[in-house]
Amino acid sequence: MLHETWNENNLRKVKTVHTNAAKYKVSDMLTEGKEYTVVNETEEYIFVKDNSGKVGGYYKTYFEDVN
């Protein structure tokens, strides 16, 4: 399955801008100002290795690209 190889992906780095979620609590899994490695991406979501050490999907609004 494709999602089982995502841990090996390294598409780019993103930085968390905020963790103010309207519906779900993301502050436990994302830290403001921390950089994360993107392992997959869709139109609406970015999949990163979060604070739990596992891959999680989050809205793109939480992140900005790191140059």
Side-chain angles (χ1 to χ4, degrees):
M1 296 191 172
L2 183 62
H3 70 279
E4 293 176 352
T5 62
W6 285 1
N7 284 326
E8 301 164 8
N9 291 353
N10 186 3
L11 301 179
R12 67 176 195 274
K13 293 275 191 180
V14 290
K15 181 178 175 182
T16 307
V17 179
H18 69 85
T19 58
N20 302 328
K23 191 171 183 180
Y24 301 104
K25 184 175 179 182
V26 297
S27 59
D28 289 344
M29 293 297 146
L30 298 176
T31 304
E32 260 184 72
K34 186 174 176 183
E35 292 183 8
Y36 295 95
T37 302
V38 177
V39 295
N40 197 14
E41 186 173 2
T42 64
E43 286 185 28
E44 194 173 358
Y45 298 100
I46 291 180
F47 294 88
V48 298
K49 293 181 190 175
D50 57 23
N51 294 345
S52 69
K54 298 180 180 177
V55 175
Y58 302 94
Y59 287 117
K60 288 184 174 183
T61 59
Y62 299 124
F63 303 100
E64 67 181 12
D65 286 332
V66 175
N67 296 329

